[in-house]
Amino acid sequence: MSNVRQLRDKQPENEKITINLGFVDLGRIDLLVQEGFYSNRSDLIRTAIRNQLESYGDVVSKSLERHTMELGLRDYSVDDLEAVRDAREVLHIKVVGLARFDPDITPELALQTIASITVLGALQASAELKKALADRIK
């Protein structure tokens, strides 16, 4: 039974955003949904955003490279941070996507090992970890 781990609360796989649209744009969206081009408003908006992001794919890639940012999901564990601490190094975390911190990471360990955090997307960490690192989160 030593390999049994407690399951974490299910984390959302995406982030909800709110946008404001003019009535004419909203009506045009509803018309395309009514005509069967999209299943609902959200489907059209997600498709439009993906198409726009694809059109800037090269720009995004070059920017990620220039800013040395990681793209996608990046998990940080106690073992990761202990290895950084033991090597007497610090992290400058830069993620485009989702950065997740294991709930077992203590604020003390995080303060010893994380110099800065820049996340374009979402940061998932315990409230106490976010509070301890508040001045290092950009």
Side-chain angles (χ1 to χ4, degrees), residues 67-85:
H67 295 291
T68 60
M69 300 182 96
E70 295 183 67
L71 177 65
L73 167 63
R74 179 63 164 96
D75 284 320
Y76 293 91
S77 68
V78 171
D79 290 342
D80 294 333
L81 297 188
E82 285 176 344
V84 169
R85 180 195 61 205

Side-chain angles (χ1 to χ4, degrees), residues 15-21 45:
E15 187 80 14
K16 185 175 185 174
I17 63 169
T18 302
I19 62 170
N20 296 318
L21 290 174
I45 293 167

Side-chain angles (χ1 to χ4, degrees), residues 12-74:
E13 295 179 15
N14 51 41
E15 187 80 14
K16 185 175 185 174
I17 63 169
T18 302
I19 62 170
N20 296 318
L21 290 174
F23 297 119
V24 173
D25 290 337
L26 190 56
R28 291 166 51 179
I29 289 170
D30 287 344
L31 180 62
L32 290 172
V33 170
Q34 179 180 316
E35 293 295 319
F37 288 97
Y38 298 93
S39 59
N40 54 46
R41 291 174 174 176
S42 293
D43 183 30
L44 181 144
I45 293 167
R46 277 191 299 272
T47 301
I49 290 170
R50 285 187 193 112
N51 289 340
Q52 197 66 17
L53 291 172
E54 279 183 33
S55 73
Y56 286 97
D58 290 340
V59 173
V60 170
S61 294
K62 289 176 184 174
S63 183
L64 287 170
E65 195 174 303
R66 187 174 64 250
H67 295 291
T68 60
M69 300 182 96
E70 295 183 67
L71 177 65
L73 167 63
R74 179 63 164 96

